[in-house]
């Protein structure tokens, strides 16, 4: 059994709400969130797979944590990459539960994490990049693993994406926090044409030292990339070759990495 604790704490460190349980706990917060509030998750067992819902409008995330995690409630400019329903109102439902063995062993999209944050925390998968357009939340790397595939526009939710700020050496890394086996990646490139450009060629560098290069087409549909099974802990989406279209703005709406936990 793992002892799980959820807390909501304000900017002064005062605990607003708390719950505890073995392998599962949920928490109802009857309060409007204020800037500086954060959700704290702790587990007596580290290096554990969990299903974690930080907000009922965001949905649950299958995550792997290596330590206690704090989730900062977004406000202001950081909110516009989320649905307007997320973290709104004066009642909220949170929960965390230990993932079942069949959930851990399932073949699934192991890059999906709607609870990812724009900072390093011990909660995986996690997306990061060497550039994000103008540092704006709607172009952050984490948007590309939030599960929202909408790619026919750009900007506020549901059209947030990873934007590369016209940088030729732009690269985005997805860190899984533990070893996984994967044989398929699905890309949804942003397709707000003619505003957007597109990549005719992309590469994936894997943590095992291997690399794969793929040709893409101009499309709003899924780009399905398959390869021999690789055992990795992370991958980097890189060496992105733009097409000859006049727009300087290619971008990535979603990356999905299918496989199993080792």
């Amino acid at each position: 059994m793992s002892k799980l604790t959820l807390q909501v704490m304000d900017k002064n460190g005062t605990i607003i709400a708390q719950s505890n349980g073995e392998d599962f706990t949920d928490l109802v917060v009857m309060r409007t969130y204020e800037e500086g509030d954060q959700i704290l998750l702790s587990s007596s067992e580290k290096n554990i797979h969990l299903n974690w819902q930080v907000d009922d409008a965001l949905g649950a995330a299958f995550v792997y944590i290596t330590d206690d995690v704090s989730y900062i409630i977004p406000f202001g400019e950081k909110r516009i990459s989320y649905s307007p329903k997320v973290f709104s109102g004066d009642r909220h439902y949170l929960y965390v539960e230990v993932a079942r063995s069949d959930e851990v062993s399932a073949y699934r999209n192991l890059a999906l994490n709607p609870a990812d944050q724009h900072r390093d925390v011990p909660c995986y998968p996690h997306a990061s990049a060497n550039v994000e357009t103008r540092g704006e939340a709607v172009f952050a790397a984490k948007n590309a693993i939030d599960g929202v595939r909408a790619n026919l526009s750009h900007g506020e939710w549901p059209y947030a994406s990873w934007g590369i700020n016209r940088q030729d050496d732009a690269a985005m890394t997805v860190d899984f926090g533990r070893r996984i086996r994967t044989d398929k990646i699905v890309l949804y490139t942003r397709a707000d044409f003619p505003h957007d450009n597109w990549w005719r060629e992309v590469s994936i560098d894997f943590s095992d030292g291997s690399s794969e290069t793929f040709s893409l087409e101009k499309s709003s549909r899924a780009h399905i990339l398959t390869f021999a099974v690789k055992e990795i802990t992370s991958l980097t989406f890189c060496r992105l070759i733009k097409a000859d279209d006049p727009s300087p703005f290619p971008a990535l709406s979603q990356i999905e990495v299918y496989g199993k936990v080792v």
Side-chain angles (χ1 to χ4, degrees):
M1 292 283 187
S2 295
K3 182 179 179 182
L4 301 173
T5 301
L6 284 174
Q7 296 177 320
V8 174
M9 185 177 294
D10 69 14
K11 64 181 180 181
N12 298 315
T14 301
I15 297 173
I16 299 162
Q18 177 174 315
S19 67
N20 303 281
E22 292 187 342
D23 287 354
F24 172 83
T25 189
D26 58 357
L27 181 62
V28 175
V29 183
M30 303 294 287
R31 174 186 180 275
T32 300
Y33 286 131
E34 299 176 357
E35 191 160 3
D37 288 352
Q38 61 179 311
I39 298 165
L40 303 176
L41 163 63
S42 62
S43 169
S44 61
E45 183 181 352
K46 310 308 178 189
N47 305 315
I48 186 173
H49 290 93
L50 302 171
N51 293 306
W52 185 25
Q53 179 172 286
V54 295
D55 186 83
D56 46 279
L58 193 61
F62 174 74
V63 299
Y64 181 77
I65 68 167
T66 57
D67 207 338
D68 296 344
V69 182
S70 68
Y71 186 100
I72 298 174
I73 306 297
F75 279 84
E77 185 267 342
K78 297 186 186 319
R79 277 293 299 271
I80 63 176
S81 61
Y82 295 86
S83 164
K85 299 184 290 293
V86 174
F87 304 115
S88 65
D90 60 1
R91 59 188 66 192
H92 315 275
Y93 179 64
L94 300 70
Y95 74 82
V96 61
E97 63 179 345
V98 175
R100 302 186 311 268
S101 59
D102 62 297
E103 293 178 303
V104 175
S105 63
Y107 184 87
R108 62 162 76 217
N109 173 17
L110 291 168
L112 176 62
N113 184 6
D116 194 23
Q117 299 183 69
H118 191 237
R119 62 193 188 109
D120 292 333
V121 293
C123 183
Y124 304 93
H126 171 61
S128 59
N130 64 350
V131 61
E132 296 167 333
T133 302
R134 297 185 297 274
E136 295 177 13
V138 294
F139 300 120
K142 76 177 188 65
N143 300 328
I145 64 169
D146 66 1
V148 181
R149 297 170 174 175
N151 66 349
L152 298 181
S153 186
H154 67 282
E156 296 185 15
W157 185 93
Y159 297 112
S161 59
W162 173 51
I164 67 170
N165 204 35
R166 309 189 195 189
Q167 189 164 309
D168 289 338
D169 66 345
M172 188 187 79
T173 296
V174 180
D175 188 346
F176 302 98
R178 75 289 199 199
R179 301 192 71 80
I180 70 161
R181 291 190 181 100
T182 179
D183 61 357
K184 182 172 72 172
I185 293 171
V186 179
L187 303 176
Y188 289 84
T189 50
R190 208 176 65 197
D192 185 13
F193 309 125
H195 172 276
D196 285 345
N197 201 330
W198 55 285
W199 293 300
R200 60 179 176 83
E201 185 177 282
V202 301
S203 294
I204 310 286
D205 288 349
F206 298 91
S207 62
D208 66 356
S210 66
S211 180
E212 301 280 349
T213 298
F214 302 93
S215 296
L216 304 184
E217 298 177 347
K218 184 178 184 178
S219 176
S220 61
R221 300 180 64 184
H223 305 275
I224 301 174
L225 317 177
T226 59
F227 43 87
V229 175
K230 297 178 185 293
E231 189 169 306
I232 61 170
T233 58
S234 66
L235 60 80
T236 299
F237 179 63
C238 57
R239 295 188 296 284
L240 312 173
I241 309 301
K242 292 194 299 287
D244 293 331
D245 284 12
S247 168
F249 303 120
L252 181 66
S253 294
Q254 204 69 192
I255 181 171
E256 301 171 353
V257 181
Y258 289 87
K260 291 185 176 184
V261 175
V262 174

